[in-house]
Amino acid sequence: MPAPVPRQKRATIFDVAAEAGVSRGTVSRVLNGEPYVSASAREAIEAAIAKVGYVRNTAARNLATQSSGAIALIVHEPHSVFVDDPNIGAILLGINSSLSAADYQLVSLIIDTERDSQRVTGYLGGGFVDGAIIVSAREGDPISQAIADLRLPAVMIGRPDNQPQLPWVGIDNRGAAEQITRRLKATGRSRIGMIAAGLDRDSGRDRLAGFRDALGDGYDESLVSRQSFYTHDAGVAGMAELLRVDPLIDGVFAASDAVAVGALEALASAGRRVPADVGVVGFDDSAWARRAQPALSTIRQPAGDLGARAAELVLEQVRSGSPAADGVLLPTEVVWRDSA
Amino acid sequence: MPAPVPRQKRATIFDVAAEAGVSRGTVSRVLNGEPYVSASAREAIEAAIAKVGYVRNTAARNLATQSSGAIALIVHEPHSVFVDDPNIGAILLGINSSLSAADYQLVSLIIDTERDSQRVTGYLGGGFVDGAIIVSAREGDPISQAIADLRLPAVMIGRPDNQPQLPWVGIDNRGAAEQITRRLKATGRSRIGMIAAGLDRDSGRDRLAGFRDALGDGYDESLVSRQSFYTHDAGVAGMAELLRVDPLIDGVFAASDAVAVGALEALASAGRRVPADVGVVGFDDSAWARRAQPALSTIRQPAGDLGARAAELVLEQVRSGSPAADGVLLPTEVVWRDSA
DNA sequence: TTGTAAGCGTTATCAC
DNA sequence: GTGATAACGCTTACAA
């Protein structure tokens, strides 16, 4: 970064001390609400603080205490997904509420380019945060490696695969996928396909694995369309592909609600009725699911809880100074609506 | 925050200096790429850095340089809106790309409760950031007041109303609303209503004002449904209300796409065809607009540019040390699709 | 109960 | 070119 102009000088503990006629040590004590300060001194100091408009320089405090009171959330999503990933927002809010309750500041860092990645790494090592939460890490993510190297307390949301050993919190994608696929099958469908996505991360792979588990011998590789991202477009393309491969397909498990909505559209264009001709199920229970036509049967993911739990896990590590438990799995739920 | 355990001690400049057999000053010089360092010293230092695994403590650097190389983005949205506001994501990415190009770190802070607000204020005053960007500030927002008090370089996204004088970047909500309402009128509609929302902020008020401008004498107060937030639910409720007030209503301007999609649903339930019976227009050109049935006619808002421009404005202030220009208005565009 | 002074890890200003 | 050394603003023993 280019050398910026230093900000206007503000009052320091020094000024407060002078104004109140006490030493800096005493000022520090009242600032930190410590005992052993006379009422008169406290009063004088409080008056002085107000008078000189003192605001504590937390950065300096950190240097002295060797801790910052902040936790980073690192979001690493491709541009296209980020803007309408339904989970990110809920996770964020969940993390924030846990952290907030413990008086920690959440700072969210987004990684969109290689350059960002470098800079964020520096930031994490720079003493600005006491810990980090990583969302949507991918295989061989340089950030998780850096965090491991820095020995920064951290937690991943979503079970990592080839990642360095970091604790994580996630859902049982595989089990949930199996469950909803079975349910779909139980509606009497016999030619069930899947629009898979995000296969470069655990969630995507596990959902596919669960689908396979549910179908057992009936699993047909050709009825799986592999898409890159959990997007609406992926759903449109994937459904078109599936219809081409098997025009008689009568059931589809989409890897996410956004994908499912895309599939719904493609089915409509192809003149198929849902659920009469084809049953469709999604994953996430995002806003899309409720508003889709017809409303989507899907898996409810406890996004807020995921965040909250992750936050608790980092704080635990920060406080104890030692790594936390391996991983925790939060329960999901099948939400059955009209699309299947 | 509770006293955390200090992180494991890491190598400092001191260690590097000792290892390389030079002084800290020299180490600092190579770290900052300054001239006047002998090749031999540089080599020895680089080797030492690698050997001891040195990572610069940026927090300490800040204390010395009186600047942090970071800019805060403050998002203050009610829970419900935050998770599906289509603009926030795009704005975020826009800010990040501008900041990233200048090697500044974006840190996003979210405010969800009064407690958050307090903590964030402390954070901003703590020397962690050189400037701030505020999105969706509301009337009498304590944060903007705090920023003004701190004399922290800042920019608002969305024109503030009763705010302290901070520079801003926004769009001409009023003009855009007028434009699209006129266009709707031009399709031959005669009983046009509006589902207004977010009236506690400039965008909401201006969109309503623009609607009024467009209708002139034809403006009918009873055909305006006032909702709290830019949400889907608001659209459903608002449309139901409008239908009750005037069953013959034939045109609706919804304050946002999410609201419009809700209206579309309410109209469908009421058995009205769109656009045959009722024309509907939205605002934002979010993902909702393209995927709605029928696709929504709306206003395209340059969310990414808004962010990018805001970032440039803060950096300008940070560099020059003085307040920037008043405000800048970015152009919008009518996107005409099928809903009207 | 209060003051003193030694850090915290860098940068920056000097002499040398 | 390089090395001391004084900031930077705060916390925290330790003395008093």
Side-chain angles (χ1 to χ4, degrees):
Chain A
M1 81 201 154
V5 175
R7 263 204 302 300
Q8 169 166 350
K9 206 175 173 54
R10 285 201 317 243
T12 72
I13 268 204
F14 222 102
D15 304 319
V16 176
E19 179 68 32
V22 299
S23 79
R24 297 180 287 170
T26 307
V27 175
S28 178
R29 262 162 237 141
V30 342
L31 248 27
N32 294 310
E34 280 168 28
Y36 304 123
V37 183
S38 66
S40 62
R42 167 162 282 122
E43 250 169 57
I45 290 172
E46 274 160 3
I49 287 179
K51 176 161 181 204
V52 304
Y54 170 77
V55 179
R56 183 204 244 133
N57 181 327
T58 320
R61 169 186 228 221
N62 295 352
L63 188 56
T65 60
Q66 295 291 82
S67 73
S68 68
I71 300 289
L73 167 66
I74 300 160
V75 181
H76 188 172
E77 287 280 13
H79 211 98
S80 58
V81 173
F82 185 85
V83 286
D84 55 23
D85 184 315
N87 294 310
I88 300 249
I91 290 176
L92 185 68
L93 257 8
I95 296 176
N96 189 62
S97 78
S98 270
L99 250 31
S100 189
D103 250 313
Y104 269 81
Q105 175 65 49
L106 169 65
V107 313
S108 313
L109 309 177
I110 125 158
I111 298 183
D112 194 28
T113 63
E114 173 54 25
R115 189 170 187 174
D116 288 347
S117 180
Q118 300 270 333
R119 196 172 11 75
V120 166
T121 305
Y123 189 86
L124 294 175
F128 292 98
V129 296
D130 295 339
I133 298 173
I134 310 176
V135 74
S136 61
R138 299 217 259 338
E139 274 188 40
D141 198 324
I143 287 289
S144 1
Q145 187 54 56
I147 287 181
D149 291 350
L150 288 166
R151 289 203 211 69
L152 191 67
V155 170
M156 314 198 66
I157 292 187
R159 188 171 47 66
D161 220 55
N162 294 329
Q163 301 297 338
Q165 268 336 329
L166 289 181
W168 51 269
V169 16
I171 57 166
D172 179 9
N173 281 289
R174 184 166 183 165
E178 173 176 6
Q179 210 183 337
I180 198 161
T181 306
R182 277 193 198 290
R183 183 84 157 76
L184 176 60
K185 208 169 142 191
T187 63
R189 316 283 171 177
S190 58
R191 310 179 94 143
I192 303 185
M194 171 170 184
I195 305 175
L199 293 167
D200 58 339
R201 56 229 290 166
D202 70 289
S203 64
R205 281 190 302 270
D206 287 355
R207 288 174 200 181
L208 176 53
F211 173 73
R212 191 171 193 154
D213 291 344
L215 260 30
D217 290 343
Y219 174 79
D220 179 354
E221 178 65 38
S222 73
L223 253 39
V224 174
S225 165
R226 293 161 185 270
Q227 301 291 325
S228 309
F229 304 122
Y230 292 117
T231 58
H232 180 264
D233 292 348
V236 174
M239 193 64 240
E241 181 188 333
L242 256 25
L243 283 171
R244 223 177 299 122
V245 172
D246 182 356
L248 296 177
I249 192 166
D250 63 1
V252 177
F253 169 36
S256 86
D257 289 348
V259 173
V261 171
L264 248 28
E265 251 178 63
L267 284 166
S269 318
R272 310 295 164 99
R273 289 163 308 160
V274 174
D277 302 331
V278 184
V280 176
V281 298
F283 204 111
D284 279 345
D285 194 26
S286 63
W288 291 111
R290 280 183 298 284
R291 297 170 201 172
Q293 293 297 348
L296 229 47
S297 293
T298 187
I299 291 285
R300 173 167 307 148
Q301 208 182 140
D305 296 346
L306 239 31
R309 201 74 191 74
E312 283 158 18
L313 285 182
V314 236
L315 290 185
E316 222 169 79
Q317 290 182 70
V318 170
R319 287 172 181 146
S320 74
S322 58
D326 281 5
V328 5
L329 234 35
L330 262 33
T332 58
E333 182 191 346
V334 171
V335 181
W336 208 253
R337 297 204 179 87
D338 313 321
S339 66
Chain B
M1 77 202 157
V5 175
R7 263 203 303 299
Q8 171 168 349
K9 206 175 170 55
R10 284 200 319 240
T12 70
I13 267 203
F14 223 102
D15 304 318
V16 176
E19 179 68 32
V22 299
S23 77
R24 296 178 289 168
T26 307
V27 175
S28 179
R29 260 163 238 140
V30 343
L31 247 28
N32 295 309
E34 281 169 26
Y36 303 122
V37 183
S38 66
S40 62
R42 167 163 282 122
E43 252 170 55
I45 291 172
E46 274 161 3
I49 288 179
K51 178 165 179 202
V52 304
Y54 169 78
V55 179
R56 183 203 245 131
N57 182 326
T58 320
R61 170 184 227 222
N62 294 352
L63 188 55
T65 60
Q66 297 288 82
S67 74
S68 70
I71 300 290
L73 168 65
I74 299 158
V75 181
H76 188 172
E77 286 280 13
H79 213 98
S80 58
V81 174
F82 185 84
V83 285
D84 54 22
D85 184 315
N87 294 311
I88 300 251
I91 289 176
L92 185 67
L93 257 7
I95 295 176
N96 189 60
S97 79
S98 269
L99 249 32
S100 189
D103 251 313
Y104 269 82
Q105 176 65 49
L106 171 65
V107 314
S108 312
L109 310 176
I110 126 159
I111 297 183
D112 193 29
T113 63
E114 173 54 26
R115 188 169 188 176
D116 289 348
S117 179
Q118 299 269 334
R119 194 170 15 73
V120 166
T121 304
Y123 189 86
L124 294 175
F128 292 97
V129 296
D130 296 339
I133 298 173
I134 310 174
V135 74
S136 63
R138 298 218 260 335
E139 274 188 37
D141 198 325
I143 287 289
S144 3
Q145 187 55 55
I147 286 180
D149 291 349
L150 288 167
R151 289 203 210 72
L152 190 68
V155 171
M156 315 198 67
I157 292 186
R159 187 171 47 66
D161 220 55
N162 293 330
Q163 301 296 338
Q165 268 335 326
L166 289 181
W168 51 270
V169 14
I171 57 166
D172 179 9
N173 280 290
R174 184 165 184 166
E178 173 175 6
Q179 210 183 338
I180 199 161
T181 306
R182 276 194 199 290
R183 183 84 157 74
L184 176 60
K185 206 169 145 194
T187 64
R189 317 285 171 177
S190 57
R191 307 178 96 143
I192 302 185
M194 173 171 184
I195 305 175
L199 293 166
D200 58 340
R201 55 231 287 166
D202 69 291
S203 65
R205 283 189 300 270
D206 287 354
R207 289 175 199 180
L208 176 52
F211 173 74
R212 191 172 195 153
D213 291 345
L215 261 31
D217 291 343
Y219 174 79
D220 179 354
E221 179 65 38
S222 73
L223 254 38
V224 174
S225 165
R226 292 158 187 272
Q227 302 289 327
S228 309
F229 304 123
Y230 293 117
T231 59
H232 180 264
D233 292 348
V236 175
M239 193 65 240
E241 181 188 333
L242 255 25
L243 247 17
R244 222 177 301 122
V245 172
D246 181 358
L248 296 178
I249 193 166
D250 63 0
V252 178
F253 168 37
S256 86
D257 288 349
V259 173
V261 171
L264 247 27
E265 254 180 59
L267 284 167
S269 319
R272 309 296 164 98
R273 292 163 306 161
V274 174
D277 301 331
V278 184
V280 176
V281 298
F283 204 111
D284 279 345
D285 196 26
S286 63
W288 293 112
R290 278 183 300 283
R291 296 170 200 170
Q293 294 295 352
L296 230 48
S297 293
T298 186
I299 291 285
R300 171 166 307 145
Q301 210 182 138
D305 296 346
L306 239 32
R309 202 71 192 77
E312 283 159 18
L313 285 182
V314 235
L315 289 186
E316 221 169 79
Q317 290 181 71
V318 170
R319 288 174 180 142
S320 73
S322 56
D326 281 6
V328 2
L329 235 34
L330 261 32
T332 58
E333 182 190 347
V334 171
V335 181
W336 208 253
R337 297 202 179 87
D338 313 322
S339 67

